[in-house]
Amino acid sequence: MRVLRGPLYFNEIKFMSAFIGIYFSLIGVLDPSNSIFFGIRNIYLAMLAALCIVFLLVKRRITVFARNICVVIMWMAIGMLIPTVVFVMHYSNYEISQYVRVLLHVPIVIYVIVSGIDFRKFLLYCSFLFNGVALYQMLFLGQMGRASSLFNHPNFYSVYLTVIVILLFERIMVNRGKRHVFEVAYIGMILLLILFGTGARTSFALILAMFAFAMLVLAKNKARSILILFAVGVLAVLAFVLFREQIMATRVFNMYFDHTFVDQIHSLEWRWLRWSVAFQAYLESGMLARIFGTGWQSSPFISARFYGFSMHNEYLRMLIDFGIIGFLSYIASVFVLFVIGLRRKSEEGFLLLALIMFVIIIAGFTENIFVSSESFSTLIGTLALALGLINKKKYDSTSLCLMEDDVLSGSLG
């Protein structure tokens, strides 16, 4: 089936790229505790979802890759909806609106993938605004170590910063023949923002790990990469020696940063305590709950032992909210997407997919990356962006094959 690529087609793509880019780069990541931001976000989200549904209904062609991904997304959304609806029938004080907001992302994500929407420039440009606000908080408001910019929490802001670093990494690795002074300098600034501003240990470690991965796995000249890593390591040691007192006072390296009680446990011990208590409560729950779960963010309504919104472990949350079936489905989906990205990791889109899945896999062990609307929008939007870029490659290659077939059949005729 032919696809018309006239003015209407390109106007739709450009318009939707801007509309979607503004959401995932700005509107969707604003602090939801602010009632004005919350209202704007929900209205914008509903309008965007409706518009995506309309455009999806008139789509005339879809690649096999996009179709398979969309089928998985739909099945996961429905699979999560069923236990959530059942839970609502038994707990009237539970607000299903929180899962409705999750469902509204489904048509947007599908549209991004099917249409190959690219909003990377929106993410990059909006990051200047958020980082400017964070610098102001640090320098003039005394929020060193816990700057959150326009986000609800410094950790959610740090996840956003990690995604910006991923975009810069991709640009550097895909365009190897060019100089990347801006990208390198911006990554360095973001590392300083995390070290002295947000104090998010997971994000700081993730960025360092991605740098090592890029140098050791993606770089063509391995000897040169090793020398660069060695030089960076030496500089890091020198910086630590010269500024040891200041570095050890940051939240990243000081496990007891901002503690107010003498016997207060540090964050890692607190997380371990939460995980063990929550897992024990899961084992003591009913058989159906252990198999199918009880629904999106339902754990706090079942038992105070869960402290569901502060679980700081998305694997454990998936197990509790969606049972062993949902947990295994999540693990399988994450693994498959990571493998897809790694297969052609040196190419645009594929590298972005591999890196964003790396962040989801690692951060999921210690952070609330899906409960927060900010980090949820950031990660889901970037994941859709990566899959859209991959699908666009497949669409363009298929279109090229169709054109070659047309030319060949015409010449034979």
Side-chain angles (χ1 to χ4, degrees), residues 52-101:
C52 287
I53 291 173
V54 171
F55 282 125
L56 283 171
L57 290 175
V58 298
K59 284 292 177 184
R60 304 180 68 181
R61 184 169 168 234
I62 182 172
T63 64
V64 175
F65 174 82
R67 183 190 64 196
N68 292 339
I69 294 293
C70 293
V71 167
V72 172
I73 292 173
M74 292 297 296
W75 274 112
M76 290 185 66
I78 295 171
M80 292 179 175
L81 177 63
I82 293 172
T84 304
V85 171
V86 172
F87 185 80
V88 171
M89 297 170 64
H90 294 85
Y91 290 84
S92 58
N93 58 335
Y94 173 83
E95 294 183 10
I96 197 172
S97 59
Q98 55 188 335
Y99 189 67
V100 171
R101 290 193 291 271

Side-chain angles (χ1 to χ4, degrees), residues 102-121:
V102 172
L103 284 179
L104 287 174
H105 284 81
V106 173
I108 302 172
V109 168
I110 291 176
Y111 181 84
V112 171
I113 296 171
V114 171
S115 303
I117 298 296
D118 185 357
F119 52 87
R120 286 174 291 184
K121 65 179 181 180

